[in-house]
Amino acid sequence: MTDRDILPDTFKPVHYDLVITDLDFKTWSYKGTVTIEGQLTKPTTEIVLNTLELKLLDAKIEVSQSKNDQSWESTKFTEDTKSQRSTITFSEQLPASPKASLTIEFTGELNHDMAGFYRSQYKPVAPPAASVPRDDEFHYMLSTQFEACDARRAFPCFDEPNLKATFDFAIEIPEDQVALSNMPVKDTKTTTAGKKLVSFERSPIMSTYLLAWAVGDFEHIEAFTDREYNGKKIPVRVYTTRGLKEQGQWALQHAPKIIDYFSEQFEIDYPLPKSDILAVHEFTHGAMENWGLVTYRMTAILFDEKLSEARFRNRIAYVVAHELAHQWFGNLVTMDWWDELWLNEGFATWAGWLATDHLHPDWDVWPQFINEGMDQAFSLDAVRSSHPIHVEVRDALDVNQIFDKISYLKGCSMIRMLASHLGVKTFLKGIAIYLKKHQYGNAKTAALWAALSEASGTDVNTLMQNWIEKVGFPVLTVTEEGQKISVKQSRFLSTGDVKPEDDQTTWWVPLSLKGKTGSSGIEPLALTTKESTIDGVSNDFYQLNSGATGFYRVNYPESRLKRLGTQLDHLTTEDKIFITGSAADLAFSGHATTAALLSFVQGLKQETHYRVLSQALDSLATIKSIFGDDGQVKAGLEKFTLEIIDNALKTVGWEAKEGEDYNTGLLRKRLLLTAVSNSHEEIRKGAFERWSAYQANPEQSPIPANLRAPVYHSAIVTDPANAVAALKKEWYTTPAIDGKEICLQALGRTTDVEIIKKVLLPFLFNASPPAAAADSIPGADMHILSGMFSGNREARPLMWAYIRENWDEFTGKLAGNPILVDRMINVSLPKFNDLETLKEIESFFEGKDTKGFDRTLEQVKDKIRGRAAYKTRDAEGVKQWLVSNGYA
């Protein structure tokens, strides 16, 4: 790309020596010195590098030439905050040289924005070390978050992924605290009274965004890999602030096994001498794959055997696997530029599920991916304003917006589709070729396709080019004629208004046809043209995309979909999830009717698999959210939903049975929560009785972790004022790692308008200070409550009004981290169903600076257009189906 906004190529770094000193916990500042060794590629009087919120004090460059060394100093710095760069100007022209050394002294901020070198607030669960910084409410730990473009907030650097270098790092800290970084500690020296300088071994060559360090009152637990690496087992540690380390046991049971598994599958040994995990109290994302020091949101890494909800076992196992996959795919081999982020994230997502399935085959994680990940990818990619996986990225603010799950979830879907086509063993062989060929370097998508082609003998680029470079995905429309079916591909848009210019792509589509006459297996056919006819297909039963490995939707004739609903014994779990999701998307877009979807779902009354019922209930919840303004339709959908879950609900009941599997526990929670949400009086009553007993005596009547959500929801429905006050207090005081998340989700179900306006919206948007900490949700968690409000018919317009009326305060609270603003726009606004609100949104943002969330805003508007069109088109049809089937 010629329009990337990249640094001049005057100086090419090869090594950094970074020293951080003088941590000041009163002014939240520090001092630093960085020496950057590299090459001066051409004569120049200026060196341009990345900085943000740093103050440069002094610069010196030493240049080695064949006859002598020369040096120049400068204090002339010009900062461009928009481009996040500083220019160092020297009084004389510097000569080109293969060896130059640039030293910069600077000061920086220990910000509270979860970016760069920042502080996280927490309440200690054990007496902390004396030097730990604290205020009236909280204690603090320090850590870094550099991806994508925030290393420049911590030290001056050449902050682009293909400007790799090695790193020496040292930091001065209080003597009673612990410092961590990517590599093992090399040396510790006392500097002044009460302080020590901790130095670390030199890192391998890597991108700036993978450098990391942390300082805090840390303790750890430790395990080792089973395999040996260079004659030694790799030590794996989970670090937490004091008193929490035992909650790292579940993660520690997985990480060493996953390191061994990936080392074998990728045919390259884990390349570092240690693997550390750090639980960080305030964190923007789920985790960050810093090489050798992976950092995590608390709920993504810690599990309390007594208090944590079971689903977090799955989350932790998967996220640990995802981040460890990055140690090879992203860290050892890095994408050349951010436009190919999918090379990191798509593969790590797929490999994360692969390893989780290897360790927990009983969890059914591929059905989980189809239900959660693939379905979300379809939703994201079905709007006109979506973007290709290989997306144009110009600068740092553009980068922030591409962490929108297209690269993760559609990328993973591409990997899964290709791995299924080539065979997983062949696919992994190609991965090994790719990693070995490009280790410690950067690569582009073409290099991955070349390696996979070498391993498989297949022209992978021809198969995959349009999937990566073009926006969207196809819907296959099927027509039947005797024992022939015709299959036509066209671009799918959730708004249903595909124009000729939208439909220019012809994808390679693996059909995975089941039901060909004379064959009992899956036929590996592919559609490579816009339309094709297949002969010899059974009139009784056939199915496309068997196993749901292809990333497309299938539009069967309505009679065929209805028939499939009576042939569930022919379908796998994956097939049922996929067909349900397809029917829902086709109804939404107008390719098919909601009546056809409801008729298919009607056939799932005897279903008891958690993921199949989850997909069905997700679809029904969407219908209710769009058409439920009509009281008759709402009541009918609730009656229908309760009928669908009745058999499974009676089977699982309230109480866990000894020895039941993991998914049954998740199913119980989902069914009970659905029952409460859909006015099941008996379940509501039973849930509220549990709430009342818990409020009367928490120690004697604790609520089991997996029942908290339905019990809390019943309290919100039955006694909103008291429940909101109690849950808001519990949010602030809960000892459960996942407790805050559970409380916020419950609070988001409140429908009392006055409570929403006077209590919960200020709670969501208040900044602390000046608000009390108990009355302000930190920025990292705001999306949890706002996402629930977005799906809440009463809260949604009130939240939008609050955002409009308090825009400056809203953006002010999140100003230090544009990712958080983008996320809030993404979760708060897309579930409106009317064009009037769409006009309000367009009018409000017209003239405002939306750089940093402009892509997301367009996607939000497309989603509203789709919902509004669906409501207008199918409202009468939904009501007629409910009436004719006896539900309304």
Side-chain angles (χ1 to χ4, degrees):
M1 288 171 55
T2 57
D3 59 347
R4 289 181 188 167
D5 189 13
I6 59 175
L7 292 167
D9 61 357
T10 310
F11 190 100
K12 184 180 179 183
V14 295
H15 176 70
Y16 291 79
D17 187 344
L18 173 62
V19 180
I20 301 291
T21 61
D22 296 277
L23 300 177
D24 189 325
F25 301 144
K26 292 181 179 179
T27 62
W28 297 115
S29 64
Y30 62 93
K31 295 179 181 177
T33 302
V34 63
T35 298
I36 311 171
E37 298 174 8
Q39 304 168 17
L40 271 171
T41 60
K42 61 187 72 171
T44 184
T45 58
E46 296 180 343
I47 294 178
V48 182
L49 75 175
N50 294 114
T51 64
L52 181 61
E53 297 172 2
L54 300 175
K55 183 178 181 181
L56 306 189
L57 304 175
D58 184 71
K60 179 181 179 180
I61 190 165
E62 297 181 358
V63 178
S64 297
Q65 294 183 298
S66 56
K67 295 182 180 179
N68 64 331
D69 295 345
Q70 291 181 277
S71 65
W72 291 264
E73 294 188 12
S74 176
T75 55
K76 187 176 181 181
F77 308 111
T78 305
E79 183 181 13
D80 183 342
T81 55
K82 186 176 181 180
S83 67
Q84 301 179 0
R85 294 176 186 166
S86 286
T87 300
I88 307 171
T89 303
F90 293 92
S91 57
E92 299 178 27
Q93 187 176 76
L94 310 177
S97 173
K99 189 175 181 182
S101 179
L102 174 66
T103 299
I104 304 170
E105 293 182 7
F106 63 97
T107 60
E109 301 174 15
L110 297 168
N111 69 67
H112 199 187
D113 298 323
M114 294 173 288
F117 187 16
Y118 72 94
R119 65 188 190 270
S120 293
Q121 64 188 34
Y122 69 98
K123 290 186 174 292
V125 299
S131 71
V132 175
R134 66 201 71 189
D135 56 29
D136 292 341
E137 292 273 7
F138 297 108
H139 288 59
Y140 294 87
M141 60 168 281
L142 309 176
S143 60
T144 58
Q145 170 61 40
F146 290 164
E147 190 180 26
C149 302
D150 283 314
R152 64 192 66 177
R153 285 195 194 220
F155 66 105
C157 57
F158 298 87
D159 198 14
E160 294 174 1
N162 56 13
L163 298 177
K164 287 189 166 186
T166 53
F167 294 83
D168 286 332
F169 175 70
I171 187 165
E172 183 186 45
I173 66 169
E175 63 182 0
D176 59 355
Q177 294 194 48
V178 175
L180 304 171
S181 189
N182 307 77
M183 299 296 287
V185 171
K186 178 174 66 176
D187 187 35
T188 302
K189 294 179 179 177
T190 299
T191 53
T192 60
K195 292 186 178 182
K196 59 186 178 183
L197 183 71
V198 184
S199 304
F200 295 86
E201 301 283 354
R202 180 166 296 189
S203 78
I205 186 171
M206 63 186 190
S207 303
T208 46
Y209 78 88
L210 294 170
L211 181 65
W213 63 85
V215 177
D217 187 30
F218 302 141
E219 56 183 8
H220 71 271
I221 51 176
E222 183 177 56
F224 292 84
T225 57
D226 290 331
R227 294 174 83 247
E228 291 189 349
Y229 299 77
N230 296 319
K232 296 181 180 178
K233 294 177 183 291
I234 299 287
V236 182
R237 292 178 172 182
V238 177
Y239 283 89
T240 69
T241 51
R242 195 184 300 265
L244 294 173
K245 67 178 182 180
E246 292 305 319
Q247 295 185 40
Q249 290 288 357
W250 179 249
L252 196 63
Q253 291 174 34
H254 289 77
K257 295 175 183 176
I258 293 167
I259 289 171
D260 286 344
Y261 177 70
F262 284 152
S263 294
E264 292 168 358
Q265 297 300 314
F266 303 157
E267 299 180 18
I268 296 180
D269 281 354
Y270 178 79
L272 269 63
K274 58 100 170 172
S275 178
D276 287 343
I277 286 167
L278 175 64
V280 180
H281 284 274
E282 292 187 278
F283 205 81
T284 303
H285 300 288
M288 175 60 211
E289 65 266 22
N290 315 299
W291 217 354
L293 175 59
V294 183
T295 46
Y296 291 81
R297 176 182 282 256
M298 302 291 280
T299 52
I301 200 63
L302 299 186
F303 188 88
D304 187 316
E305 293 290 341
K306 293 181 179 179
L307 299 176
S308 293
E309 195 177 305
R311 66 187 171 95
F312 287 95
R313 291 189 189 276
N314 173 281
R315 183 184 186 189
I316 291 164
Y318 163 72
V319 177
V320 168
H322 177 110
E323 302 308 324
L324 287 173
H326 274 308
Q327 308 300 292
W328 288 264
F329 230 92
N331 299 7
L332 184 66
V333 181
T334 310
M335 77 263 139
D336 183 66
W337 180 248
W338 296 108
D339 55 357
E340 303 198 75
L341 178 68
W342 91 277
L343 279 175
N344 285 18
E345 298 300 347
F347 182 82
T349 303
W350 178 79
W353 289 121
L354 185 75
T356 306
D357 185 50
H358 171 71
L359 294 174
H360 297 284
D362 58 309
W363 283 1
D364 281 350
V365 301
W366 289 118
Q368 178 184 354
F369 173 72
I370 298 165
N371 172 219
E372 295 177 353
M374 194 167 163
D375 203 62
Q376 189 179 348
F378 280 131
S379 176
L380 289 165
D381 207 29
V383 294
R384 183 172 276 108
S385 53
S386 180
H387 60 78
I389 289 178
H390 187 290
V391 58
E392 183 175 312
V393 177
R394 176 172 170 79
D395 58 22
L397 287 175
D398 273 350
V399 172
N400 289 333
Q401 292 186 81
I402 64 169
F403 287 88
D404 64 355
K405 301 300 183 182
I406 288 284
S407 57
Y408 292 73
L409 299 178
K410 186 180 179 183
C412 175
S413 299
M414 298 300 97
I415 294 290
R416 182 169 172 265
M417 180 168 68
L418 185 58
S420 175
H421 178 71
L422 300 179
V424 173
K425 287 187 177 179
T426 299
F427 179 82
L428 286 168
K429 187 68 180 176
I431 293 302
I433 293 170
Y434 168 83
L435 291 171
K436 290 172 184 175
K437 191 171 290 188
H438 301 282
Q439 58 186 320
Y440 299 106
N442 297 80
K444 300 182 179 181
T445 298
L448 177 61
W449 296 159
L452 291 168
S453 298
E454 181 182 336
S456 66
T458 300
D459 183 356
V460 172
N461 184 64
T462 297
L463 302 184
M464 298 303 296
Q465 185 173 11
N466 281 350
W467 284 109
I468 303 303
E469 296 182 2
K470 304 295 184 181
V471 67
F473 62 90
V475 54
L476 303 192
T477 301
V478 183
T479 54
E480 302 175 356
E481 185 180 346
Q483 289 199 320
K484 293 181 180 179
I485 60 170
S486 291
V487 183
K488 180 181 180 180
Q489 65 164 289
S490 55
R491 184 179 173 191
F492 180 86
L493 284 177
S494 59
T495 44
D497 56 345
V498 177
K499 301 170 184 174
E501 60 266 29
D502 297 321
D503 193 25
Q504 298 297 307
T505 304
T506 301
W507 288 273
W508 163 76
V509 183
L511 294 175
S512 301
L513 172 65
K514 189 192 292 184
K516 203 158 190 315
T517 304
S519 171
S520 60
I522 298 172
E523 295 293 309
L525 306 174
L527 181 65
T528 57
T529 57
K530 275 289 186 183
E531 190 169 5
S532 184
T533 299
I534 304 170
D535 294 322
V537 177
S538 169
N539 278 323
D540 177 53
F541 171 83
Y542 72 88
Q543 178 198 359
L544 294 173
N545 203 18
S546 297
T549 55
F551 192 72
Y552 55 91
R553 288 311 198 186
V554 180
N555 186 14
Y556 294 104
E558 187 166 336
S559 59
R560 176 60 58 183
L561 180 63
K562 191 170 184 178
R563 193 167 189 175
L564 285 170
T566 68
Q567 297 174 318
L568 299 178
D569 55 334
H570 289 26
L571 304 175
T572 65
T573 298
E574 290 89 340
D575 296 334
K576 294 174 194 175
I577 296 168
F578 176 77
I579 292 171
T580 304
S582 265
D585 280 357
L586 294 165
F588 189 102
S589 63
H591 283 84
T593 65
T594 309
L597 164 64
L598 293 171
S599 295
F600 180 80
V601 170
Q602 206 169 21
L604 299 176
K605 292 177 187 177
Q606 300 306 308
E607 183 62 56
T608 58
H609 194 288
Y610 170 54
R611 296 296 170 187
V612 178
L613 282 172
S614 281
Q615 188 73 50
L617 294 174
D618 290 345
S619 302
L620 293 176
T622 298
I623 296 170
K624 185 179 175 183
S625 77
I626 291 174
F627 301 103
D629 289 337
D630 183 316
Q632 184 183 7
V633 169
K634 179 174 179 285
L637 286 169
E638 289 185 349
K639 185 177 180 181
F640 177 60
T641 301
L642 294 180
E643 183 179 285
I644 295 301
I645 68 172
D646 184 63
N647 174 63
L649 185 57
K650 288 175 179 174
T651 301
V652 301
W654 275 98
E655 304 300 329
K657 299 170 181 64
E658 189 173 347
E660 73 178 17
D661 65 21
Y662 165 77
N663 279 320
T664 299
L666 299 187
L667 177 63
R668 177 177 296 105
K669 174 201 166 184
R670 180 70 192 260
L671 295 177
L672 290 169
L673 187 57
T674 300
V676 173
S677 298
N678 288 276
S679 307
H680 191 303
E681 290 305 320
E682 182 185 342
I683 297 298
R684 279 189 178 179
K685 182 180 178 183
F688 190 68
E689 286 173 355
R690 285 166 169 80
W691 168 263
S692 299
Y694 170 62
Q695 289 298 299
N697 194 329
E699 292 186 6
Q700 187 175 327
S701 303
I703 301 171
N706 275 16
L707 299 183
R708 280 181 293 176
V711 169
Y712 290 1
H713 186 19
S714 74
I716 288 289
V717 170
T718 309
D719 186 12
N722 289 322
V724 165
L727 287 171
K728 193 163 166 282
K729 180 180 178 182
E730 183 169 323
W731 168 83
Y732 190 62
T733 60
T734 176
I737 290 296
D738 59 358
K740 290 183 183 297
E741 189 169 317
I742 305 299
C743 289
L744 291 176
Q745 288 170 340
L747 289 167
R749 299 179 189 277
T750 307
T751 57
D752 186 297
V753 170
E754 289 304 305
I755 293 174
I756 294 168
K757 289 166 66 173
K758 293 180 180 178
V759 178
L760 293 178
L761 286 173
F763 176 49
L764 174 60
F765 291 107
N766 280 347
S768 175
D775 293 321
S776 171
I777 300 174
D781 289 343
M782 287 175 67
H783 67 285
I784 300 171
L785 182 56
S786 62
M788 295 300 295
F789 275 170
S790 180
N792 178 329
R793 184 171 285 104
E794 286 74 21
R796 182 166 55 239
L798 299 175
M799 179 169 63
W800 167 228
Y802 197 99
I803 290 172
R804 293 199 311 272
E805 293 162 11
N806 300 275
W807 178 252
D808 289 343
E809 291 80 0
F810 166 64
T811 54
K813 180 174 179 177
L814 304 176
N817 195 325
I819 291 173
L820 299 180
V821 179
D822 180 71
R823 180 186 294 163
M824 283 292 290
I825 296 297
N826 186 43
V827 301
S828 300
L829 301 180
K831 292 187 178 178
F832 286 101
N833 308 320
D834 62 288
L835 296 179
E836 291 76 16
T837 305
L838 176 62
K839 290 177 183 176
E840 282 184 4
I841 291 171
E842 290 177 326
S843 174
F844 178 76
F845 285 108
E846 186 177 358
K848 284 189 169 54
D849 181 8
T850 60
K851 180 69 172 172
F853 61 89
D854 50 342
R855 291 180 197 259
T856 297
L857 185 59
E858 290 307 309
Q859 292 166 8
V860 162
K861 291 190 281 188
D862 274 347
K863 289 175 182 177
I864 296 172
R865 291 185 187 103
R867 290 171 68 92
Y870 185 22
K871 184 176 182 179
T872 300
R873 183 182 60 249
D874 230 7
E876 194 56 38
V878 171
K879 182 180 287 189
Q880 286 179 2
W881 188 91
L882 291 169
V883 170
S884 63
N885 283 271
Y887 298 106

